[in-house]
Amino acid sequence: MESNYRKIYSGNRFTVQRIEEKLEEIGIKAILKDESESARLAGFAANVGGELEVHVHEDQFEQAMMVVRAIKAQQEE
């Protein structure tokens, strides 16, 4: 099955929330993927501190990547 969404980031919940907020400010709706939560809901043991993924529609990929790069640069300062 082909998807029109692309992953722009994978990491901790704090950074994912910052990315999601910044994307919303510029009108981009992000899709968050949390494998540990999916596993927990299915009844499997889950890594509570697991990584989350941020996906956006491929038409918004370049603009979203600028947001990710800016947030990552701020974290490195």
Side-chain angles (χ1 to χ4, degrees):
M1 184 167 115
E2 204 170 309
S3 173
N4 293 328
Y5 288 84
R6 294 178 63 184
K7 181 170 70 171
I8 60 167
Y9 182 79
S10 178
N12 67 59
R13 186 170 305 277
F14 175 74
T15 304
V16 166
Q17 288 175 336
R18 287 185 62 204
I19 292 170
E20 182 181 29
E21 288 172 6
K22 291 296 183 185
L23 291 174
E24 284 182 8
E25 287 176 11
I26 60 172
I28 296 177
K29 175 67 178 147
I31 305 295
L32 304 183
K33 184 176 180 183
D34 184 346
E35 290 291 341
S36 63
E37 181 65 7
S38 295
R40 186 190 68 77
L41 292 172
F44 299 103
N47 178 2
V48 175
E51 291 190 343
L52 282 78
E53 294 180 358
V54 181
H55 297 257
V56 297
H57 195 273
E58 61 188 18
D59 293 342
Q60 299 169 317
F61 179 78
E62 291 301 324
Q63 190 177 9
M65 284 305 298
M66 288 190 293
V67 170
V68 171
R69 288 184 202 107
I71 289 174
K72 288 172 73 174
Q74 288 174 350
Q75 290 176 334
E76 293 174 0
E77 291 179 354

